[in-house]
Amino acid sequence: MAANFWTSTQQKQLLDAEEVDVVHQVDKEMGFTLEDCKLIKMHMANYIARLAQNVKVRQRVVATAVTYMRRVYTRKSMTEYDPRLVAPTCLYLASKAEESTVQARLLVFYIKKLHSDEKYRFEIKEILEMEMKILEALNYYLVVYHPYRALSQLLQDAGMSDATQLAWGLVNDTYKMDLILIHPPHLIALACIYVASVLKDKENTTWFEELRVDMNVVKNIAMEILDFYDSHKMITEERVHLAMHKLGFKQ
Amino acid sequence: MGEVEELLTKKVADRYLKREVLGEGTYGVVFKAIDTKTGQTVAIKKIRIGKQKEGVNFTALREIKLLKELKDPNIIELIDAFPHKENLHLVFEFMETDLEAVIRDRNIVLSPADIKSFLQMTLKGLAFCHKKWVLHRDMKPNNLLIGPTGQLKLADFGLARIFGSPDRRFTHQVFARWYRAPELLFGAKQYGPGVDVWAAACIFAELLLRRPFLQGNSDIDQLGKIFAAFGTPKPTQWPDMIYLPDYVEYQYVPGQPLRTLFPMASDDTLDLLSKMFMYDPKSRISAQEALEHRYFTSGPLPTEPVSLPRPPPKKESKASDFNIQDGPTVLSPPRKSRRVMPNRDGPEGSANHVHRIDDHGNERLAGGERSEHAPMSLDFSIFGMKPPVRPTINSADRTHLKRKLDLEFQGPEEQ
C-alpha cells in the first residue's frame, strides 16, 4: 500500500459520518431527505462506473471520480451542483489526475449513448465549466488513496488469494457508500476481507488479531457494509427515480 | 454560480495586486504580485483555460495535484489557486533567483561549503519527494529556485509523477537531456527515484565545474559523453542494461578518474559524487542516503542559507515602482483596490502591523507581521496620473471604525 497515506492530505481530510451525512439548506428547501441524497450519490456512482466502462478507464479512475463526487456533496448542494453534470465531470477530472486522460468529447458521446433523457445531456463547454467549479469545491486536493493496493497485499498475507475476486467486488461496492471519506483505505480493505472470510467460512481470527489495527473499527466498517447490502435489497428503481425527480429540470 | 460565491471569487482575485511579468512558463504567463492579505510578494502562474478544448491543462493539473501534497521547506509552496476570467491562477511563494543564475554569475565565488549547502537543500527537497513517492523528473539548475533567505526549493512539478505502482510504465522523455540518467537514455519505461539522483549528481558536478558537466547534443551523444567520463559500463557493473529497450552496444572506452575530472574536489566530494553517478540504478545511492553521507558532516560544514552568495537582485522592482505605466494593476476592476481598507492595527498602533491609508485616501501596505517584506510597500500616491478615486466606506469599514472609536475610550487592549 502507498506508504504515504498517513501524511497525505486525504488522511487530514477524513471526516466524521455526521459531516458526510449532510443535507444542505437549499436541498432541504427542495424537499431532499438524507435518504434521497444517499440514493442519488449511489445512483451517480453507478453512472460513473457505467460511463467508465464505455470510455475504458481503470477501476482506480472510477474510484477517484466517485470520491471526488462524494467530497463535492459534503460541501455543495445538489440543487446548485446538478449530479448529472457533476458525475461525468468528476470522471473527466479523475481521468486527468490519474494520468489516463479521457477526451471530453468522447465522454459527451457516451453520455448521449447511455441516456436518451434530455436532463443528462451536457455539452463539452458545460463539463469544462463544471471542472473548474469542482476543482474549487475540492479545494484543489486531487490525490486519493484507495483500498485496492492494500487489499491484494493483505489477501496474500492472510493466505486468502482465492477470495480476491469476492473481496475486490466488495471494495468496489463500498464506493456506493461514503466509506472512503470517513475511513483510511487499508481499514476498508480489511473490513472487506473480514466480510469475505465470514462469507467463505474462513477462520482467520488469529491473522486479524496479529495485525496491529483496531479490530472494533474494522468490524464496524464490516457491519456498515453488511447493513448496506441489506438495505440495498429494498432500493427500487422507483425510489431512485423519485429522489432524482426532486432535482427537477435542467435550467 | 450563486451570488455569494461570485463575490467570494472576486474577493480572492482582489487579494492580489498584479506587478510585472516574470516570464513565460510552460503553460502560461508568470507574474509577480503582492498578497494584500499578508503583504507577501508572490508569483502567480496564469493558466489559460478559456480557449482550451480540454479544460484545465494536464501539466498544470499535475503540478497542482502534487504540490498540494508536498509541503516542505525545500519545495516551492503553492499558496493558493483560484479561477479568474477564464484563467486558473496558481499562487506560489516568490523566489528571487535560481541556481542556474548563481552558477552562471562569474562574479560569484562558490566555496566548498556553499556548494555543500546548495546540494544539501537540493537533496532534502528530493528526499522528501521520494518519501512521498513522487518523482520530480525535471531536475536542473533553473528549476531550483532560491528565496530571499537563501533557501533553495524544488520547483516546476509539471513533469512530476507518483511512482510506486510497479506495473505502470512511464515515458523516458523526461528531464533536459544533460541531466538524463543512462537508463532513460536507453529507453527504460520502468524507473525509479534514481533518475532524480542522477540529475542531482549532474547539478553537483555543475556546481563544482561552473558549467554543465555532460553536454550531449543528442541522446546518443549524451550517452557517449557519459561513457567518456566514467567509462563504458560493463555488464558486471550494470547487469540489467542489455535488456533496456533502446540498448545499443557502445565501443568500450575506459573512464577517467574522477580526480582528473574534478581536480579541486575533496575525497568526500568525489566519493559521494561517484555514488550518485552509479550506472546501475539499483546500486545508485538514494537521496536520503546521500544526505547521510559523511560529505555533509565532515568539514567544512554547509553554509547557512542566508549567507550563501546570490546574484544581485534585478533592478526591475525599483524601476517599475516609479514607472507609471507599469504601476500595479489589480486582477479585478481597478477601482476596487482604491477602496479604503479597514485599519486593522487599532489604537495600540502596533508598529509591526501597519495597514495605513495615505493622504490621497489610497491604501498603503507596509509589511504586516512580515515586516521583513517591508520594501514591497505600495505607495499609490506616486501614480499621480490618474485622479485618485474617491474613497468609499462600506459597512464593514464603518463597524471597524466604530470599534476603533470604542477602543479609544477603553484604552489600549492586549491583543
Side-chain angles (χ1 to χ4, degrees):
Chain A
M1 133 172 198
N4 52 344
F5 166 77
W6 297 109
T7 53
S8 69
T9 53
Q10 182 184 356
Q11 196 265 332
K12 292 179 196 108
Q13 287 187 88
L14 287 182
L15 300 167
D16 291 332
E18 303 84 71
E19 295 171 282
V20 175
D21 291 338
V22 284
V23 182
H24 299 283
Q25 194 53 41
V26 250
D27 287 346
K28 272 184 199 154
E29 284 160 19
M30 296 296 284
F32 283 96
T33 62
L34 179 58
E35 208 45 45
D36 291 332
C37 292
K38 284 186 174 180
L39 278 174
I40 292 172
K41 284 190 277 184
M42 188 194 76
H43 187 55
M44 287 303 133
N46 292 338
Y47 179 29
I48 289 173
R50 258 190 306 146
L51 267 177
Q53 273 170 9
N54 282 283
V55 296
K56 295 193 173 55
V57 287
R58 295 172 293 148
Q59 183 60 34
R60 192 191 165 77
V61 182
V62 178
T64 299
V66 175
T67 311
Y68 289 170
M69 183 266 292
R70 292 186 178 280
R71 279 187 186 169
V72 166
Y73 288 117
T74 60
R75 297 178 189 132
K76 303 289 177 190
S77 70
M78 301 211 166
T79 317
E80 284 169 302
Y81 285 69
D82 188 339
R84 290 164 294 209
L85 175 56
V86 168
T89 311
C90 283
L91 183 63
Y92 178 63
L93 183 60
S95 76
K96 279 191 207 176
E98 296 288 354
E99 311 259 349
S100 38
T101 306
V102 171
Q103 286 183 336
R105 59 169 182 83
L106 195 67
L107 211 52
V108 169
F109 173 81
Y110 281 109
I111 292 171
K112 288 195 172 134
K113 208 180 141 199
L114 284 175
H115 284 281
S116 50
D117 185 348
E118 190 59 36
K119 285 181 224 157
Y120 278 85
R121 297 196 167 184
F122 291 96
E123 300 301 320
I124 294 177
K125 192 173 158 274
E126 292 169 287
I127 291 184
L128 299 187
E129 279 168 13
M130 184 48 87
E131 182 191 31
M132 205 58 179
K133 291 169 83 175
I134 288 175
L135 271 172
E136 271 196 284
L138 296 172
N139 196 12
Y140 303 90
Y141 288 112
L142 300 172
V143 176
V144 186
Y145 297 97
H146 298 290
Y148 297 104
R149 200 179 298 172
L151 186 76
S152 23
Q153 287 174 7
L154 290 167
L155 280 172
Q156 214 167 13
D157 191 62
M160 280 181 67
S161 295
D162 55 319
T164 304
Q165 219 182 345
L166 173 64
W168 192 278
L170 286 165
V171 171
N172 284 352
D173 282 345
T174 62
Y175 286 88
K176 297 180 201 284
M177 315 155 70
D178 279 309
L179 291 179
I180 192 74
L181 304 191
I182 302 166
H183 302 287
H186 75 282
L187 293 184
I188 299 177
L190 279 175
C192 291
I193 296 177
Y194 187 64
V195 174
S197 30
V198 173
L199 284 173
K200 288 218 157 197
D201 267 331
K202 168 124 182 153
E203 170 53 45
N204 49 9
T205 323
T206 0
W207 181 77
F208 277 111
E209 276 168 355
E210 278 169 9
L211 295 169
R212 285 193 295 171
V213 292
D214 187 346
M215 274 312 285
N216 288 323
V217 181
V218 174
K219 279 184 187 167
N220 284 339
I221 302 173
M223 286 310 287
E224 267 189 76
I225 296 171
L226 292 177
D227 284 348
F228 171 77
Y229 280 110
D230 268 344
S231 62
H232 192 258
K233 289 177 206 148
M234 319 291 286
I235 298 171
T236 56
E237 286 268 323
E238 179 70 16
R239 279 180 63 195
V240 176
H241 192 79
L242 278 174
M244 287 300 293
H245 194 72
K246 292 186 187 167
L247 285 170
F249 295 98
K250 214 159 102 175
Q251 285 103 9
Chain B
M1 200 190 277
E3 253 180 38
V4 179
E5 263 166 71
E6 204 152 35
L7 271 171
L8 276 175
T9 318
K10 275 200 180 133
K11 221 171 162 190
V12 174
D14 222 5
R15 180 174 153 182
Y16 303 99
L17 294 170
K18 194 171 167 181
R19 306 293 293 273
E20 71 270 17
V21 171
L22 294 167
E24 191 85 25
T26 354
Y27 43 76
V29 184
V30 184
F31 55 84
K32 196 166 161 181
I34 312 293
D35 183 348
T36 58
K37 208 169 131 193
T38 60
Q40 206 181 352
T41 307
V42 294
I44 300 187
K45 254 190 205 183
K46 186 169 102 181
I47 301 153
R48 286 175 289 265
I49 355 175
K51 287 165 195 79
Q52 296 293 314
K53 278 190 196 126
E54 285 304 334
V56 179
N57 179 293
F58 184 66
T59 321
L61 200 72
R62 253 186 189 160
E63 188 156 27
I64 298 170
K65 178 181 86 178
L66 295 173
L67 285 179
K68 283 293 264 189
E69 301 289 321
L70 298 170
K71 300 283 176 202
D72 182 78
N74 294 110
I75 292 171
I76 190 89
E77 190 193 350
L78 176 63
I79 299 169
D80 189 13
F82 62 91
H84 185 74
K85 287 185 190 162
E86 298 208 311
N87 293 309
L88 179 62
H89 293 74
L90 303 186
V91 183
F92 293 96
E93 56 183 325
F94 177 72
M95 303 295 274
E96 261 174 18
T97 183
D98 60 63
L99 194 62
E100 189 180 24
V102 172
I103 293 172
R104 302 282 173 276
D105 191 329
R106 287 290 144 204
N107 296 318
I108 289 178
V109 178
L110 290 178
S111 73
D114 297 340
I115 294 173
K116 200 174 280 190
S117 181
F118 282 127
L119 182 70
Q120 191 178 41
M121 292 189 283
T122 306
L123 288 171
K124 276 184 180 170
L126 209 48
F128 185 79
C129 289
H130 294 169
K131 201 178 105 197
K132 292 275 206 162
W133 301 73
V134 172
L135 299 183
H136 185 281
R137 305 201 302 180
D138 199 14
M139 295 284 291
K140 54 184 179 187
N142 71 355
N143 279 344
L144 301 176
L145 305 185
I146 295 168
T149 53
Q151 277 295 331
L152 178 147
K153 289 164 197 259
L154 273 55
D156 215 331
F157 281 73
L159 278 181
R161 278 212 56 166
I162 293 183
F163 66 101
S165 351
D167 52 326
R168 300 292 295 157
R169 287 167 176 275
F170 296 160
T171 170
H172 58 278
Q173 296 300 340
V174 288
F175 289 93
R177 185 180 297 118
W178 297 343
Y179 306 90
R180 225 174 272 165
E183 62 267 31
L184 294 172
L185 293 161
F186 276 140
K189 301 273 190 293
Q190 286 166 293
Y191 49 82
V195 295
D196 284 335
V197 174
W198 180 278
C202 295
I203 295 164
F204 190 9
E206 194 165 332
L207 281 163
L208 295 164
L209 299 170
R210 300 297 292 272
R211 58 170 168 77
F213 176 39
L214 304 159
Q215 307 184 43
N217 47 37
S218 68
D219 285 5
I220 303 280
D221 185 46
Q222 186 65 30
L223 277 166
K225 291 274 185 337
I226 294 171
F227 298 159
F230 307 119
T232 316
K234 300 184 198 94
T236 48
Q237 265 174 291
W238 186 7
D240 299 335
M241 170 177 64
I242 52 166
Y243 304 112
L244 291 172
D246 302 340
Y247 172 73
V248 278
E249 206 176 321
Y250 273 68
Q251 198 191 359
Y252 180 79
V253 284
Q256 301 170 59
L258 275 184
R259 172 60 62 218
T260 48
L261 293 168
F262 305 94
M264 309 294 280
S266 71
D267 289 345
D268 288 343
T269 306
L270 295 184
D271 188 71
L272 177 57
L273 202 57
S274 68
K275 288 182 165 124
M276 294 172 75
F277 272 133
M278 265 320 186
Y279 276 131
D280 188 348
K282 283 185 188 140
S283 34
R284 201 174 298 152
I285 197 168
S286 74
Q288 187 53 46
E289 287 160 359
L291 283 168
E292 289 155 17
H293 190 275
R294 65 172 186 276
Y295 167 72
F296 290 109
T297 44
S298 62
L301 291 178
T303 311
E304 283 299 316
V306 73
S307 319
L308 283 169
R310 259 175 289 160
K314 289 176 211 143
K315 305 173 224 72
E316 35 75 10
S317 4
K318 270 279 149 44
S320 67
D321 269 356
F322 295 98
N323 184 328
I324 295 138
Q325 265 91 42
D326 283 350
T329 48
V330 182
L331 291 174
S332 49
R335 240 172 278 116
K336 301 223 156 159
S337 71
R338 307 289 162 98
R339 189 201 296 141
V340 175
M341 299 289 284
N343 187 345
R344 290 194 205 96
D345 51 340
E348 62 268 38
S350 51
N352 64 342
H353 204 170
V354 194
H355 211 110
R356 244 165 234 134
I357 294 157
D358 69 25
D359 298 345
H360 298 263
N362 289 324
E363 184 194 352
R364 232 182 125 143
L365 283 181
E369 292 88 358
R370 311 177 138 264
S371 47
E372 67 272 20
H373 295 298
M376 288 358 278
S377 67
L378 287 179
D379 188 349
F380 284 90
S381 62
I382 55 168
F383 305 110
M385 291 293 276
K386 287 181 211 154
V389 177
R390 186 172 286 277
T392 53
I393 298 180
N394 64 26
S395 60
D397 297 330
R398 262 204 306 277
T399 27
H400 195 87
L401 285 170
K402 245 166 103 181
R403 207 179 314 136
K404 196 179 149 186
L405 286 173
D406 282 345
L407 280 172
E408 268 166 352
F409 287 112
Q410 285 163 11
E413 264 181 9
E414 288 292 318
Q415 267 201 309

